Amino acid sequence: MAVSYKNLWKLLIDTDLKKKDLAELANISTYTINKLRRCENVNTDTLSKICTALQCTFDDIVEVIPDEKY
């Protein structure tokens, strides 16, 4: 199972915010922003901070992509 944060980046574009702005608003590090950019796992506390800062829900920023079964 993979995680995609494409919806987060789209939301930032729609709200005219930069990644640096998100880091400041959500009080998260640039290291965490880079983990999100690379679609790596982050903890739910981080996602909660982002959702609080952007006034959105997890569904608005995260997409879970199931593994394909052969």
Side-chain angles (χ1 to χ4, degrees):
M1 189 174 333
V3 176
S4 172
Y5 299 104
K6 286 182 183 180
N7 292 342
L8 171 60
W9 310 130
K10 289 177 188 174
L11 183 60
L12 288 182
I13 291 168
D14 291 344
T15 56
D16 198 30
L17 292 172
K18 297 180 179 164
K19 293 172 186 170
K20 179 181 176 183
D21 299 328
L22 175 62
E24 291 174 9
L25 284 171
N27 195 26
I28 57 177
S29 69
T30 54
Y31 174 76
T32 301
I33 294 290
N34 286 330
K35 285 183 75 170
L36 291 165
R37 190 179 51 79
R38 293 188 302 264
C39 290
E40 295 178 0
N41 291 328
V42 296
N43 65 40
T44 54
D45 289 339
T46 299
L47 297 177
S48 181
K49 286 180 181 182
I50 292 170
C51 288
T52 300
L54 298 178
Q55 298 179 351
C56 63
T57 64
F58 282 14
D59 289 346
D60 295 327
I61 63 171
V62 179
E63 181 181 1
V64 177
I65 303 167
D67 292 333
E68 293 185 32
K69 295 183 179 179
Y70 296 96

